[in-house]
């Protein structure tokens, strides 16, 4: 295989197999519906909100009387476009599909009466449903909230971590709920947001803002080039030696964001389904060339 052929292959955004595409669609659908249940069946009827775009949409829906699904769709559109430009086509399509399902499901569920009018129960179960739903969608390579995308994109321009930026957005949004509803509802909203946040971590083990990835494969060059051109992430090639066999091993090291984990796994599986892949959380990333390159 010539160098030109390798470059042509790794730059191409190959389509997912039919089975993987169907599975991804099913998981995103279920995740979006679960979030819709958490919103329309538990939180919204009890005037409790979630963080992010969902929280803004709930307040705008309450003030204007328009459908919640309409605001969820319209307010997330700019972030889907930004995600397409900065993260990739697959992520944008997955996110758009998830938002469409979420908007439709909230509209259909709006006439359904709340399961409970107990504020604590509504807050707890609403947060759980939302957390599981968002976790499933992120695990499938998409997102249901634009504030997370915005936080990742502003990370390099502000002296704060992605988590801190998201927390700042949500404190402002949840604090506003005190003026739109009542201050006790704002406090319940904080509880719902915290439960949802923790449930996401339980749904997707170790899903943090930044992750390090170690890949050992005979096709490490092809995998590294694909990561470089498809994800826009810098890679480092290392040489390793198997302790048991003594064979020389090619190693790829890179740092990615949590929204890129699903796509990284697809790339590794495409070039070497038997490759060794280890992904670990990173508390902080500084220096080097972690800043994202443009995606071709």
């Amino acid at each position: 295989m010539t160098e030109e052929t390798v470059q042509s292959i790794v730059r191409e955004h190959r389509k997912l197999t039919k089975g993987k595409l169907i599975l991804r669609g099913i998981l995103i659908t279920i995740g979006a519906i679960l979030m819709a249940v958490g919103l329309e069946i538990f939180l919204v009827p009890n005037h409790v909100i979630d963080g992010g775009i969902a929280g803004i949409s709930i307040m705008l829906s309450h003030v204007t009387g328009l459908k919640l699904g309409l605001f969820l769709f319209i307010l997330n559109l700019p972030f889907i476009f930004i995600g397409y430009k900065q993260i990739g086509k697959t992520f944008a399509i997955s996110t758009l599909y998830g938002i469409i399902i979420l908007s439709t499901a909230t509209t259909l569920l709006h006439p359904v009466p709340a399961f409970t009018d107990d504020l604590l129960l509504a807050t707890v179960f609403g947060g759980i449903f939302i957390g599981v739903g968002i976790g499933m969608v992120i695990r499938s390579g998409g997102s249901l909230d634009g504030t997370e995308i915005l936080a990742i994109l502003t990370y390099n321009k502000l002296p704060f971590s992605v988590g801190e930026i998201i927390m700042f957005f949500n404190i402002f949004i949840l604090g506003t709920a005190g003026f739109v509803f009542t201050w006790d509802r704002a406090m319940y909203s904080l509880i719902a947001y915290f439960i949802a946040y923790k449930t996401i971590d339980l749904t997707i083990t170790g899903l943090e803002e930044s992750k390090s990835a170690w890949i050992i494969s005979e096709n490490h060059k092809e995998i590294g080039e694909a990561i470089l051109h498809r994800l826009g992430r810098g890679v480092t090639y290392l040489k390793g030696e198997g302790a048991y066999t003594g064979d020389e091993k090619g190693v790829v090291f890179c740092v990615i964001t949590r929204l890129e984990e699903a796509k990284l796994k697809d790339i590794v599986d495409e070039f070497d389904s038997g490759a060794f892949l280890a992904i670990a959380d990173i508390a902080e990333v500084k220096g080097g060339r972690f800043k994202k390159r443009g995606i071709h």
Side-chain angles (χ1 to χ4, degrees), residues 17-27:
T17 62
K18 187 176 181 180
K20 289 184 177 180
L21 190 62
I22 293 174
L23 178 60
R24 175 172 293 190
I26 292 173
L27 291 175

Side-chain angles (χ1 to χ4, degrees), residues 32-253:
I33 291 175
L34 287 175
M35 181 174 179
V37 170
L39 292 173
E40 286 288 2
I41 302 300
F42 292 100
L43 299 189
V44 174
N46 290 285
H47 294 163
V48 177
I49 72 170
D50 184 30
I53 297 299
I56 297 174
S57 299
I58 291 172
M59 289 186 287
L60 288 176
S61 176
H62 175 76
V63 172
T64 63
L66 298 176
K67 297 293 185 182
L68 172 61
L70 178 65
F71 289 108
L72 288 171
F73 181 75
I74 293 176
L75 296 182
N76 275 298
L77 277 181
F79 300 104
I80 295 173
F81 177 76
I82 294 173
Y84 173 76
K85 290 292 185 180
Q86 299 294 326
I87 300 177
K89 181 179 178 181
T90 303
F91 169 79
I93 293 175
S94 299
T95 299
L96 177 60
Y97 175 72
I99 295 299
I100 290 174
I101 297 298
L102 174 62
S103 302
T104 303
T106 53
T107 301
L108 295 176
L109 289 172
H110 185 69
V112 179
F115 280 5
T116 177
D117 57 3
D118 184 296
L119 278 177
L120 184 58
L121 287 176
T123 299
V124 171
F125 281 92
I128 291 174
F129 272 88
I130 290 172
V132 172
I134 292 176
M136 290 180 66
V137 173
I138 292 179
R139 187 172 182 177
S140 300
S143 178
L144 289 177
D145 197 284
T147 54
E148 188 169 74
I149 301 172
L150 181 62
I152 289 173
L153 297 180
T154 57
Y155 168 67
N156 292 319
K157 300 178 182 179
L158 297 173
F160 304 104
S161 69
V162 174
E164 289 170 340
I165 296 171
I166 294 174
M167 182 62 70
F168 173 79
F169 287 150
N170 285 320
I171 287 176
F172 175 77
I173 293 167
L174 295 171
T176 306
F179 296 97
V180 177
F181 300 114
T182 58
W183 289 108
D184 67 325
R185 294 302 197 275
M187 289 185 282
Y188 275 109
S189 297
L190 283 169
I191 296 173
Y193 168 72
F194 179 78
I195 292 173
Y197 181 82
K198 288 300 180 181
T199 306
I200 291 174
D201 288 338
L202 292 175
T203 305
I204 309 173
T205 304
L207 191 65
E208 299 295 336
E209 289 79 19
S210 297
K211 290 175 173 288
S212 63
W214 297 83
I215 306 157
I216 302 176
S217 169
E218 293 181 356
N219 301 326
H220 63 287
K221 288 285 187 180
E222 291 89 341
I223 294 173
E225 289 293 324
I227 293 171
L228 184 68
H229 293 290
R230 296 190 196 176
L231 293 183
R233 293 295 177 191
V235 299
T236 300
Y237 297 122
L238 305 170
K239 290 184 178 180
E241 180 180 334
Y244 181 74
T245 63
D247 295 337
E248 186 175 289
K249 302 288 185 179
V251 183
V252 179
F253 172 78

